Amino acid sequence: MNKIEQFSLLLYVFAFAIFAGYQVISKVPQLLHTPLMAFTNAISGISLVASLIIAGEGRSLTSSILGMVAVTAAMINVVGGFLITDRMLKMFRKKDKAKP
Amino acid sequence: MNVRQIIYLATLFAASLLFLFGLLGLSHPRSARRGMIMAAFGMLIAVLGTLLHQRIVSYEWIIGGLVVGTIIGIPMGLWIPMTKMPERIALSHAFGGLAVALVGVAEYYNYHNELSSFNMGAIGFEVLLGTVTFTGSLIAFGKLQGILSGRPQTFRGQNLMNFILLGVALLILIFLVVQPTQQAVFYALTSIGLLLGVLLVLPIGGADMPVVICLLNSYAGLAAAATGFALNNPVLIVCGSLDGGSGFILALIMSKAMNRSFQNVIFGAFGAEVHEPKSADAGGAPIREGTPEDAAELLKIANSVIIVPGYGMAVAQAQHAACDLAAILEKNGTPVRYAIHPVAGRMPGHMNVLLAEANVPYDQLFELEAINDDFPRTDVSIVVGANDVVNPAARNTPGSPIFGMPILNVDQSKAVIVLKRSMNPGFAGIENELFVLPNTMMVFGDAKTTLTKITAAMKQE
């Protein structure tokens, strides 16, 4: 597969992801906008998958160190992001049935 | 194609779907946690699948990074108070930008002699967006945290300089696509990105922070998507576009709620315009000041109450005190609702999270459109540390900088109690005519103390 074909496939992925994302995110109520930001923060930690390869590739000491710092930064977002999203979502509750 | 590669590609595909369906869960509080768990599972399998990738030959650096990241990530997730959420989100955008920028720099460092023009272009975008997000988010964090002044830092020709820098960065990018081996030029691009991030966010004032945080969120996502193009990795593109799209949509919602134009959002140049402190009409008019006890008397005879929180509530950490007052009111048979303006606070949904933390059920939280028509039928509105979002000048004074901005019409309720620290104007630097209306009672002091006093006064018959 040449570069142009590869690029066009990735562009398809990009365009469809943007469209699907727009549809899904428009449905998120204002109530949950802060958890939404924490959530997208956590999943943007997916750059971890790129950092892992750089850190484990062993091409040079410099790139291994850069990779390790990148893994650290991405992992902070993954761990911290999911934990804080969970903490927030647990707080949102409906009115108790037991009314005074 | 071997088994390892098939597993790797399959996990990436599954993770992409899990992220998308997880996000779909966030459309309702009921399904939100389930969605989050799906996404976390997606992240886990994507990482496990990637560890099988044949480019990975050693694991010590990986394990080091994963351990350090987990050690820092756990306290950032568990112990940061809800009032510090904007700061925390800004910081995590910085980490996201940093990770992406470092991946780009390392890719270039290792492979600059064998990069195709296409990969070079993608890496260039990745590094530029990543560095801008990194330093921009650090500045935003500094402003929110109070390390840097929250006031806009402006100088003449600032916008022009930013545009020139951006232009130079794009020219360098084009040059690199043609000449990928020019290392000095690549590192110049990295430096410009770092500088641009600082310069873009410095001129922005505290009240505009919600838009900036959303934009940085969007940049971080787009940077991750660019990484996906550079590394031929679709899950990065999917995730990056979800993140980038989410930030962009939120930025649009915020800018609409602040009555700012689309261009203002894109170029982030909004802090540069100087707000003239005008509207002398409110200047000399008398205000009616009351004590917490006066406010309690008013509330005792009220049949309906709406609480309008703003950034002041977050600063005073008054969400629990507000909730206590609401509990007393409800015990007296007075229904209480909360009206949340989209830009109240320093990030989207800031007030909702604080009130949820104080155990306010989410069906008592109302968006602007849902509650605005009810103010004329409401006996008492309590404004807790909100200012510009309840300023009637947005409706009545065509010359006002906030004219046209959708506001909560608290001035139409039969009585208004405004809790405020002092008569200082809000962040937009404009007087608020709500404070001098005859049906408004101002109660000065720390919002938390005042609310506690009102609650105490309500309890004594």
Side-chain angles (χ1 to χ4, degrees):
Chain A
M1 192 161 61
N2 67 29
K3 283 282 167 193
I4 301 286
E5 282 170 345
Q6 183 193 328
F7 176 71
S8 96
L9 274 183
L10 292 177
L11 210 56
Y12 271 81
V13 174
F14 184 62
F16 279 87
I18 290 270
F19 176 75
Y22 181 83
Q23 295 297 325
V24 170
I25 292 154
S26 320
K27 288 202 179 73
V28 178
Q30 186 192 320
L31 177 74
L32 293 178
H33 276 173
T34 298
L36 170 68
M37 288 195 98
F39 180 95
T40 54
N41 253 172
I43 64 169
S44 77
I46 191 68
S47 51
L48 191 55
V49 301
S51 321
L52 288 173
I53 292 178
I54 305 278
E57 197 175 26
R59 280 276 296 204
S60 65
L61 182 65
T62 311
S63 72
S64 294
I65 293 174
L66 291 178
M68 183 187 141
V69 178
V71 169
T72 306
M75 193 63 181
I76 292 174
N77 275 357
V78 170
V79 174
F82 279 122
L83 283 177
I84 208 157
T85 311
D86 187 50
R87 221 174 103 202
M88 273 192 274
L89 290 178
K90 267 194 272 193
M91 297 183 324
F92 285 95
R93 59 172 190 94
K94 261 195 132 114
K95 201 175 190 122
D96 294 332
K97 285 152 279 165
K99 269 197 150 185
Chain B
M1 181 158 295
N2 59 28
V3 180
R4 271 168 75 167
Q5 199 179 1
I6 292 171
I7 295 176
Y8 166 71
L9 292 173
T11 55
L12 294 194
F13 180 71
S16 306
L17 287 183
L18 284 167
F19 290 146
L20 192 58
F21 282 100
L23 200 49
L24 192 59
L26 245 62
S27 55
H28 198 282
R30 263 199 318 266
S31 51
R33 276 192 82 202
R34 193 173 62 221
M36 199 212 73
I37 290 162
M38 281 170 77
F41 182 65
M43 185 64 74
L44 181 69
I45 62 169
V47 169
L48 292 178
T50 303
L51 290 174
L52 294 175
H53 197 282
Q54 50 246 33
R55 265 172 74 182
I56 296 182
V57 293
S58 68
Y59 288 90
E60 58 264 39
W61 294 102
I62 292 180
I63 293 168
L66 290 178
V67 169
V68 177
T70 309
I71 291 172
I72 304 175
I74 288 176
M76 282 197 64
L78 290 183
W79 297 324
I80 287 193
M82 287 299 151
T83 42
K84 289 281 170 202
M85 199 52 68
E87 288 89 331
R88 194 224 163 272
I89 296 281
L91 207 54
S92 60
H93 290 156
F95 286 129
L98 178 69
V100 167
L102 288 177
V103 168
V105 170
E107 278 282 305
Y108 183 80
Y109 180 84
N110 285 341
Y111 298 103
H112 56 86
N113 285 324
E114 42 194 287
L115 283 177
S116 67
S117 299
F118 162 67
N119 282 345
M120 184 64 240
I123 289 179
F125 266 113
E126 173 191 345
V127 169
L128 187 60
L129 284 166
T131 47
V132 167
T133 310
F134 176 55
T135 51
S137 302
L138 284 182
I139 298 290
F141 170 75
K143 281 181 173 251
L144 288 164
Q145 184 70 27
I147 303 168
L148 298 167
S149 162
R151 296 266 153 202
Q153 324 268 314
T154 48
F155 55 86
R156 277 168 67 89
Q158 192 164 32
N159 278 334
L160 184 68
M161 189 174 143
N162 287 348
F163 273 111
I164 290 174
L165 269 179
L166 190 63
V168 171
L170 293 178
L171 284 178
I172 289 182
L173 203 60
I174 294 170
F175 176 80
L176 278 171
V177 168
V178 184
Q179 291 279 341
T181 51
Q182 297 293 324
Q183 294 190 50
V185 179
F186 175 79
Y187 295 113
L189 179 70
T190 313
S191 314
I192 290 180
L194 293 170
L195 182 65
L196 203 55
V198 174
L199 290 176
L200 282 177
V201 181
L202 265 186
I204 290 156
D208 290 335
M209 268 307 153
V211 186
V212 177
I213 293 187
C214 296
L215 268 186
L216 289 168
N217 183 348
S218 179
Y219 294 162
L222 290 177
T227 314
F229 278 97
L231 299 179
N232 191 17
N233 186 327
V235 74
L236 277 168
I237 296 181
V238 169
C239 244
S241 20
L242 292 180
D243 195 21
S246 159
F248 195 67
I249 292 173
L250 290 176
L252 283 181
I253 295 173
M254 292 297 112
S255 63
K256 196 172 144 225
M258 293 164 87
N259 197 33
R260 292 188 185 280
S261 72
F262 193 73
Q263 286 88 338
N264 253 333
V265 179
I266 305 278
F267 297 110
F270 29 82
E273 48 191 86
V274 182
H275 294 311
E276 289 168 37
K278 53 169 132 195
S279 88
D281 44 313
I287 56 162
R288 192 158 66 93
E289 191 178 339
T291 63
E293 288 72 27
D294 297 338
E297 290 309 314
L298 203 54
L299 288 170
K300 274 181 193 166
I301 52 167
N303 288 320
S304 54
V305 170
I306 296 179
I307 297 180
V308 182
Y311 183 56
M313 185 184 82
V315 174
Q317 310 227 0
Q319 64 272 28
H320 294 279
C323 183
D324 291 344
L325 176 59
I328 289 283
L329 284 165
E330 297 210 309
K331 218 174 118 205
N332 291 354
T334 313
V336 178
R337 290 180 294 171
Y338 297 81
I340 318 277
H341 193 278
V343 292
R346 286 291 180 269
M347 67 178 293
H350 192 180
M351 295 298 122
N352 303 85
V353 168
L354 291 185
L355 290 169
E357 188 201 11
N359 276 327
V360 176
Y362 62 76
D363 37 12
Q364 281 183 10
L365 310 178
F366 288 85
E367 298 183 14
L368 184 134
E369 293 82 15
I371 203 166
N372 230 1
D373 294 337
D374 291 354
F375 279 107
R377 291 191 295 277
T378 301
D379 286 346
V380 182
S381 297
I382 310 176
V383 178
V384 187
N387 193 344
D388 295 332
V389 297
V390 292
N391 191 343
R395 256 188 357 247
N396 307 332
T397 316
S400 170
I402 60 166
F403 182 71
M405 169 173 148
I407 56 155
L408 289 162
N409 297 326
V410 290
D411 54 311
Q412 294 171 353
S413 52
K414 294 186 184 100
V416 186
I417 299 172
V418 178
L419 308 184
K420 206 169 167 340
R421 236 180 332 204
S422 65
M423 262 319 267
N424 289 339
F427 256 103
I430 35 181
E431 304 273 352
N432 194 334
E433 48 196 80
L434 174 71
F435 301 159
V436 297
L437 289 179
N439 57 343
T440 300
M441 179 200 286
M442 303 292 296
V443 185
F444 291 108
D446 173 71
K448 192 176 171 181
T449 320
T450 311
L451 283 167
T452 314
K453 281 185 188 159
I454 297 177
T455 310
M458 292 281 297
K459 277 180 185 160
Q460 329 169 325
E461 285 308 316

